Amino acid sequence: IKAKDVASASSKLQADIDALKLPSGIEVKFGGVTEQIQETFTQLGLAMAAAIAIVYLVLVITFGGALAPFVILFSLPFAIIGALVALWAAGETLSVSALMGALMLIGIVVTNAIVFIDRVIKKEKEGLSTREALLNAGVTRLRPILMTALATIGALLPLAFGFESAGMISKGLGVTVIGGLASSTLLTLVIVPVVYEFLMKFRKKRTV
């Protein structure tokens, strides 16, 4: 295969093979680069699952409870959505490079939510209501969250545009991280506060 998108070519070939009526006892397997890609996808999938579990465990230990870490992890699905949209817009496929970018996103994206929720908890301890604490955190943490996201996106633009010599390898990574970080940053400032307030109200009702 001379095209750079080996995974797409393999999937089309797999569809053709599935359409064949093979005799009993005959099995078709892929080897070479396709086999390596499949193994890498599996390994990266396990690494992403382990990363999410480790991040959650660290957050539980740090915050001393499970509620805040659970809310923080709500920022991850929006990162994946943004990453997929960015890959589609850039004409990139879900490659090994893109999955490596998704793995990086797990650590990068939760940072904004941590900064936000930490401020909320601090203000709640000072006596503010949940709504007041969320509004205060939204005002005081907006600038550092946007600055961090924009700085990271700016640093990855050369990779996303393929300016580096290894553009074929790194472009998918850059596009994935930029798309995921952009969507999660915007939605973290909206969805995370809503989820946090909802869960706080639910917990108060259960304790009453």
Side-chain angles (χ1 to χ4, degrees):
I1 300 172
K2 296 182 179 181
K4 67 177 182 178
D5 188 5
V6 179
S8 178
S10 298
S11 63
K12 291 179 180 178
L13 181 58
Q14 182 66 61
D16 292 338
I17 293 174
D18 293 338
L20 296 176
K21 294 182 179 180
L22 298 175
S24 60
I26 301 299
E27 183 180 0
V28 178
K29 291 184 178 180
F30 284 85
V33 177
T34 300
E35 185 179 14
Q36 294 175 2
I37 291 175
Q38 292 174 348
E39 292 177 355
T40 304
F41 268 49
T42 302
Q43 293 171 0
L44 286 174
L46 293 174
M48 291 172 66
I52 293 173
I54 293 171
V55 167
Y56 183 73
L57 178 62
V58 171
L59 292 176
V60 168
I61 296 173
T62 304
F63 283 98
L67 179 61
F70 181 73
V71 175
I72 289 171
L73 290 183
F74 260 88
S75 59
L76 291 178
F78 303 110
I80 300 301
I81 293 172
L84 293 175
V85 172
L87 287 172
W88 173 78
E92 291 289 312
T93 58
L94 191 60
S95 60
V96 173
S97 179
L99 284 183
M100 291 178 65
L103 182 60
M104 292 175 57
L105 272 176
I106 295 173
I108 297 173
V109 164
V110 296
T111 304
N112 292 333
I114 290 172
V115 170
F116 185 88
I117 295 298
D118 181 66
R119 178 73 177 187
V120 173
I121 294 175
K122 181 180 179 181
K123 287 300 176 181
E124 283 181 327
K125 290 180 179 179
E126 292 179 1
L128 295 181
S129 65
T130 300
R131 176 66 62 84
E132 292 172 339
L134 288 170
L135 292 174
N136 179 274
V139 173
T140 57
R141 291 293 186 252
L142 176 62
R143 184 179 178 185
I145 287 175
L146 290 179
M147 288 173 62
T148 302
L150 290 175
T152 306
I153 290 173
L156 289 169
L157 284 177
L159 296 181
F161 286 110
F163 292 157
E164 299 295 325
S165 58
M168 288 178 60
I169 300 175
S170 57
K171 184 176 180 180
L173 186 149
V175 170
T176 300
V177 176
I178 288 175
L181 186 57
S183 64
S184 66
T185 299
L186 296 175
L187 294 173
T188 292
L189 297 171
V190 179
I191 302 299
V192 169
V194 172
V195 173
Y196 184 82
E197 185 174 17
F198 173 78
L199 292 178
M200 288 299 294
K201 288 182 178 180
F202 180 74
R203 188 173 70 174
K204 289 178 181 178
K205 288 181 180 179
R206 293 194 63 182
T207 55
V208 172

